[in-house]
Amino acid sequence: MRRLNACNLLRAAPWVAALLLLAPLSGARAASGYELFVDGNRLFRDDLYWAALLRYEQALDQGYDTPLLHYNAGIAHYRAGQYERAARAFERAAAEPALRLVARYNLGLTARAAGDRGAALDWFRQVRDQESEPRLAELAGQAIRLMLRDADERRVVDEDSPAPPPAAVERPRGFAFNADIGVGNDDNVYRSPDQAYVDRSQPGNPVITPVVQSGVYYPVDITARYSVGSFEHEAFFGSYRLAGRYYQDPELENANEFSHQLAFGSSYHRRSEDRERKIYSAFTIAQHDETWYDRDDGSERLLNGEPAGERLSFVRYGPELWARQSFSRLSFSLHGKGQIWNYESVGDLPEYDHEYLSAGLSAQYRFTSTSLIRFEGDLYTRRFGERPSFSLDGTQNIANPAVRYDYVNYGATARQRVTRFFWFGVRYARTERTDEFEGYNDYIRDGYGAEFSLRIGDRLKIRAQGWYRNYNFIRAFAYHEPAAGRRTLETAEGLLTARWQINNDLSLTGSYEYREVASNDERIDYTRGQFMLGLRWQLGSR
């Protein structure tokens, strides 16, 4: 057999050369069935895969049912791009001890071609960890290393590309379950200013002394999804997600928040040698609960002496679409979303109910396998139903029309891989907001970001990213008080994460997140650090 080049392992068809010429492993069958089988092999060698599959099917109809026939049919299905049928054929061939290991190796190649990375690694590891076929074990080990390397290279291309919804990521049909649970410490639970300030928004300009509180919290993010589909590249799904955080100390319960989300839709994924297409569409409905609290001390806000904490809880619903077309070096993506946000009604306070509409696109070019540049842009709008706009003097007259904010966002990302295990990137983004009444809340925001990713061995990955954003308010005043001067606002944030892959389903995660907000409106000035250690469990999701 010709020795395969390891660099082409994951792009080549499964092992073929010798096995197509092997004699049947079982005794002689009906001559016509055997002749059809031999003719199918001849057609395969002429690259006539569909014709070969027809001959194999005819041989089966004649009673020529052997593991070798299923193996060769699996190869033909693989070459024809029918990965699900190829996998079924290789699984039947694996029942024959003489073909078991090579069939499992090819099941790994097939799973990888179908986009199921977890299953591919499982099959390759089974072959790598056996001792009876050293050559196959060596090839499986090379395949694993190449997959891990290529996965990191693809991440340079795909991570944070305007990101698809979680359900748009390619999943196998059937049931999938992800759970992230952990424990963390928050050193400023209510985002309180860390020093006393004069509140110019209140009569008499009182001096406020905030109380910075810290505590232990439990982050939770659980997703369950079920996909079905009779078409090879398309699946229909329903999913449920619970996400939130819960604080251990009862005195910090006003900081608890959680969301429930249901989504129903379809996903399409088709990949050939040098191009890939993904389309995701869904209708989502979500309920979000949090408390409207005073950031100075964490107490629930009151209206005429009555609790008004439910004001920030809402239900949102609407359709969304995400699509991406990739070629060998160039890719394009677009996305759109339309949602209604219904907030809780609290007394006579204006509600935050609004419509949210967005649309965007991006273009990305990969210069080499290790470097890329991406340009992206978005348009979105929030149109409120009752919340009155601000006048140019900083007052919010109830007779003013409802708030409408329109946004234009655009930016660029560049990334470079330095070694197989390390890459870094830089980002720039600009957002322009227009207040459609008199322009009081117009601003221009410039953002500068940097990131890096480091992989140590097969199991440990470390990633860091940071952003600095500067807001240029054109007309808005600090405290909405003209005497306080133009509002200034700067934010800086960083996130460091590490993940240790325990096995295919379990991983240990740790993170530290820091955020600082600086403004001459001292009510919103704060620093916050959060440390978290958690466990991720993924079942049937890769």
Side-chain angles (χ1 to χ4, degrees), residues 292 311-312 341 343-344 348-355 381-391 394-405 407 433 435-437 440-441 443 473 476 480 487 523:
W292 187 34
R311 192 186 187 196
L312 296 184
W341 294 49
Y343 283 77
E344 292 288 339
D348 296 329
L349 289 173
E351 298 177 3
Y352 287 127
D353 295 357
H354 66 275
E355 301 173 356
T381 182
R382 294 185 184 272
R383 304 178 181 184
F384 291 78
E386 293 186 7
R387 184 182 177 192
S389 299
F390 281 85
S391 300
T395 60
Q396 195 175 20
N397 193 320
I398 195 67
N400 288 349
V403 170
R404 173 178 168 176
Y405 294 144
Y407 300 81
R433 183 172 78 174
D435 182 338
E436 293 294 339
F437 176 45
Y440 174 78
N441 272 319
Y443 68 65
F473 286 92
H480 302 300
R487 180 186 303 169
R523 297 173 300 176

Side-chain angles (χ1 to χ4, degrees), residues 514-531:
Y514 177 82
R515 180 175 173 83
E516 181 175 356
V517 176
S519 173
N520 61 351
D521 188 335
E522 295 170 296
R523 297 173 300 176
I524 61 174
D525 196 296
Y526 74 93
T527 60
R528 187 186 201 182
Q530 296 171 297
F531 171 79

Side-chain angles (χ1 to χ4, degrees), residues 400-415:
N400 288 349
V403 170
R404 173 178 168 176
Y405 294 144
D406 292 337
Y407 300 81
V408 177
N409 182 63
Y410 52 92
T413 299
R415 287 193 174 134

Side-chain angles (χ1 to χ4, degrees), residues 173-204:
R173 288 179 173 86
F175 179 72
F177 177 81
N178 293 355
D180 289 273
I181 57 175
V183 60
N185 184 75
D186 187 339
D187 68 10
N188 189 352
V189 174
Y190 294 112
R191 298 169 295 158
S192 305
D194 58 6
Q195 57 186 358
Y197 67 92
V198 175
D199 190 348
R200 302 187 181 211
S201 67
Q202 297 187 37

Side-chain angles (χ1 to χ4, degrees), residues 46-295:
D46 291 336
D47 296 332
L48 301 173
Y49 308 124
W50 295 102
L53 287 168
L54 177 61
R55 289 291 185 269
Y56 294 148
E57 186 66 30
Q58 291 171 342
L60 279 171
D61 291 341
Q62 293 294 328
Y64 191 77
D65 188 350
T66 71
L68 185 58
L69 182 143
H70 293 298
Y71 182 91
N72 289 358
I75 296 171
H77 281 304
Y78 180 97
R79 285 286 183 87
Q82 296 183 311
Y83 302 126
E84 290 186 8
R85 295 182 181 181
R88 289 196 295 268
F90 286 133
E91 286 172 355
R92 296 180 69 177
E96 167 59 48
L99 293 175
R100 182 169 297 139
L101 290 176
V102 72
R104 288 177 177 176
Y105 177 80
N106 289 337
L107 279 164
L109 292 177
T110 302
R112 179 192 181 278
D116 191 347
R117 179 176 177 270
L121 289 171
D122 283 342
W123 289 118
F124 288 139
R125 284 167 178 153
Q126 289 182 43
V127 178
R128 180 197 62 184
D129 296 340
Q130 54 80 35
E131 298 179 354
S132 59
E133 291 286 349
R135 177 56 179 158
L136 270 179
E138 178 187 354
L139 291 173
Q142 292 173 355
I144 292 170
R145 290 190 293 273
L146 286 170
M147 280 190 68
L148 293 174
R149 184 196 69 187
D150 290 348
D152 274 349
E153 288 180 357
R154 284 196 303 275
R155 288 189 184 100
V156 174
V157 176
D158 293 332
E159 279 186 19
D160 303 328
S161 55
V169 180
E170 180 65 8
R171 309 289 190 188
R173 288 179 173 86
F175 179 72
F177 177 81
N178 293 355
D180 289 273
I181 57 175
V183 60
N185 184 75
D186 187 339
D187 68 10
N188 189 352
V189 174
Y190 294 112
R191 298 169 295 158
S192 305
D194 58 6
Q195 57 186 358
Y197 67 92
V198 175
D199 190 348
R200 302 187 181 211
S201 67
Q202 297 187 37
N205 295 339
V207 176
I208 306 297
T209 303
V211 179
V212 177
Q213 302 176 64
S214 61
V216 173
Y217 69 94
Y218 304 102
V220 176
D221 193 342
I222 298 173
T223 302
R225 170 186 163 113
Y226 189 76
S227 301
V228 296
S230 57
F231 302 104
E232 185 173 358
H233 303 289
E234 187 172 8
F236 300 89
F237 69 87
S239 67
Y240 166 77
R241 183 182 183 188
L242 166 65
R245 61 173 57 204
Y246 304 86
Y247 285 82
Q248 176 179 275
D249 192 334
E251 295 180 357
L252 302 178
E253 65 180 4
N254 286 342
N256 294 344
E257 58 181 278
F258 59 89
S259 299
H260 303 273
Q261 177 175 291
L262 289 172
F264 304 92
S266 65
S267 59
Y268 176 89
H269 183 203
R270 185 165 188 171
R271 177 164 50 194
S272 61
E273 185 175 347
D274 61 349
R275 62 185 60 190
E276 182 179 36
R277 178 176 297 171
K278 291 183 178 182
I279 303 174
Y280 165 90
S281 61
F283 185 89
T284 63
I285 179 169
Q287 177 180 334
H288 177 82
D289 289 281
E290 68 173 283
T291 300
W292 187 34
Y293 54 75
D294 187 331
R295 289 172 54 173

